[in-house]
Amino acid sequence: IASILASYREHADIEIQQRACEYTALAESKDQELMETVFDFMPPFENDSAKLIKKVEDAEIKRTGVGANEGEAKDEDEDEEEDDEEEASEEEEDDDEDEEVEFRNQTAEEFKTIMTASSGYLLKHEVLQIGVKMMAGVSHDMKMKIFYGNKSSSDLEDLKAIVTTNPAWTIKLSPSEGFTVPGKKQESQFLLATAHRPFSKPPVMGLQFTFNGEVQRVKIKLPIFTTQFITSNDEMSGSDYLNKWKSLEKEAKTIVNCDPIDDMETFKKGIVKSLHCSEVDMTGIVSNPQNILCLCGMFEASRAGSGESIKLPFLARFQLKSEMFQVSVRSSVGAMNQDIIDCVKMMYSA
């Protein structure tokens, strides 16, 4: 099976090529947590109808008079007053239906939440809900499946996505042409990102679509940056890590003020997962291993044009405190060290 998949990894059809690369990576992966994440369910599409139900219930109470004087007959004045209230209620409902929907860009909080996750929401809006499921940390390619949920009864017509370009990456979308998301429905789009060199500034995806005859535009930051193309390096002993650390001269480091760390071990596991690195056991090497996190990893890229594979190993060290930590990165490439530092700051700064 592996040989069959390998023969399709350079296929001209991007969909066939993408499937072959995905299945090959899964077959070679020994990361059980990654396998569970890949085959986990997408977050359910929310379709909140509570407001509509509330309006129907209120209208029914006004129509039947239930709860008013325990069912006693109303005189003519009360009937006229009830009719006026019903008419006013109907006018309010009509106003709600005619109210213009204001679309918005992704918030900073939405982007920060998805940066350290493998699935979740890029944007949650009363009409447009964008979910994503990602596969990263396995090669120089990162894959996404983007879900566009339409919570209204009107169509999102001719939805087009355009992603900013940069020599550091190549991004392909499928479908690449515009499509419609019908009312109360969900459509999906695939994204393939290939890294050509380290970078920290994430690409921006601009969406344009027509809603109720009006052209709308929305901007979304995509959680694509250097750390998504890091793979776990070979396991390293504490003494080997220390010797390698001393031999690397190029270093970048900074102090990050983070949210309060309630559980140090849980926090450390989160960093390992979000950076796709291997943790090095420093027991017996450092005096306080409970507050030290040492990592080794490999940044993978594909040279633009030739497709030549690029692999850049690095080491990282975190010195953790209750509401802050110092992170240091060493490798043979100084620019990459700083890019990794910048990514860590984006993900964990309070």
Side-chain angles (χ1 to χ4, degrees):
I1 295 177
S3 60
I4 296 174
L5 291 174
S7 66
Y8 287 100
R9 293 184 67 177
E10 303 296 332
H11 199 277
D13 189 317
I14 189 172
E15 290 295 328
I16 296 176
Q17 180 189 129
Q18 185 170 334
R19 298 291 87 75
C21 291
E22 288 174 350
Y23 291 135
T24 300
L26 288 173
E28 296 174 350
S29 175
K30 298 179 182 179
D31 189 339
Q32 185 62 33
E33 187 174 3
L34 172 64
M35 298 290 285
E36 292 176 359
T37 299
V38 170
F39 293 105
D40 195 9
F41 289 105
M42 235 338 254
F45 170 52
E46 296 180 0
N47 187 9
D48 186 8
S49 59
K51 293 181 180 178
L52 178 60
I53 294 173
K54 180 72 165 55
K55 287 183 179 180
V56 173
E57 290 176 346
D58 289 345
E60 182 66 15
I61 290 173
K62 286 184 171 64
R63 186 181 67 80
T64 60
V66 174
N69 296 325
E70 299 183 351
E72 292 181 4
K74 299 179 178 63
D75 58 27
E76 293 182 0
D77 292 338
E78 289 175 331
D79 289 340
E80 290 177 2
E81 183 179 347
E82 182 179 302
D83 290 340
D84 291 339
E85 290 176 353
E86 288 182 358
E87 289 176 4
S89 176
E90 290 173 359
E91 289 176 0
E92 288 177 2
E93 290 179 15
D94 290 339
D95 289 340
D96 289 341
E97 292 175 0
D98 295 337
E99 184 179 354
E100 292 185 2
V101 176
E102 291 187 6
F103 289 90
R104 62 169 176 81
N105 297 328
Q106 178 192 57
T107 65
E109 186 61 32
E110 286 171 328
F111 180 61
K112 183 176 181 180
T113 300
I114 196 62
M115 277 195 295
T116 55
S118 58
S119 64
Y121 295 99
L122 293 170
L123 182 141
K124 292 186 74 173
H125 178 264
E126 60 183 287
V127 171
L128 178 60
Q129 176 176 291
I130 306 177
V132 67
K133 195 172 183 67
M134 298 174 280
M135 184 176 179
V138 293
S139 72
H140 56 255
D141 287 334
M142 176 189 179
K143 301 175 179 67
M144 286 186 180
K145 188 173 184 180
I146 304 173
F147 301 84
Y148 300 93
N150 182 358
K151 299 174 70 177
S152 76
S153 56
S154 300
D155 294 348
L156 300 176
E157 301 176 8
D158 195 25
L159 189 151
K160 297 176 182 176
I162 300 176
V163 182
T164 53
T165 59
N166 190 300
W169 67 70
T170 296
I171 293 178
K172 297 179 181 179
L173 293 168
S174 179
S176 57
E177 64 277 4
F179 55 92
T180 294
V181 184
K184 305 297 183 182
K185 298 292 183 179
Q186 179 176 277
E187 297 292 339
S188 60
Q189 186 176 42
F190 292 93
L191 182 150
L192 174 65
T194 302
H196 301 309
R197 67 188 189 206
F199 61 95
S200 59
K201 187 176 181 180
V204 176
M205 181 171 69
L207 300 177
Q208 178 176 301
F209 54 90
T210 301
F211 181 75
N212 287 340
E214 296 288 334
V215 176
Q216 305 290 341
R217 294 177 177 84
V218 173
K219 288 185 179 180
I220 304 289
K221 275 187 182 180
L222 296 174
I224 302 175
F225 28 77
T226 292
T227 54
Q228 301 287 36
F229 302 94
I230 291 174
T231 59
S232 297
N233 207 346
D234 295 333
E235 291 188 7
M236 183 180 291
S237 68
S239 57
D240 288 342
Y241 174 92
L242 191 59
N243 291 331
K244 185 67 175 177
W245 181 269
K246 293 178 180 178
S247 70
L248 294 171
E249 297 180 356
K250 294 183 179 180
E251 178 182 21
K253 61 182 177 180
T254 191
I255 293 176
V256 178
N257 294 312
C258 60
D259 293 327
I261 302 175
D262 297 324
D263 187 310
M264 197 67 74
E265 288 304 313
T266 300
F267 187 76
K268 289 163 73 171
K269 288 179 180 178
I271 293 176
V272 173
K273 183 178 179 180
S274 62
L275 268 61
H276 309 290
C277 292
S278 297
E279 181 177 0
V280 180
D281 185 4
M282 300 301 287
T283 304
I285 306 296
V286 296
S287 58
N288 56 338
Q290 67 276 9
N291 293 329
I292 298 292
L293 175 62
C294 293
L295 305 175
C296 60
M298 181 86 71
F299 172 76
E300 297 199 22
S302 173
R303 195 177 302 279
S306 66
E308 178 188 355
S309 179
I310 301 171
K311 295 188 177 184
L312 303 174
F314 71 92
L315 301 178
R317 182 175 64 187
F318 291 76
Q319 295 174 277
L320 307 172
K321 294 185 178 181
S322 60
E323 296 184 8
M324 60 178 289
F325 61 82
Q326 177 177 288
V327 54
S328 305
V329 179
R330 289 189 180 186
S331 75
S332 60
V333 183
M336 180 179 71
N337 297 341
Q338 189 59 52
D339 284 327
I340 295 174
I341 290 286
D342 291 342
C343 291
V344 171
K345 287 168 62 178
M346 279 197 301
M347 289 187 281
Y348 291 101
S349 291

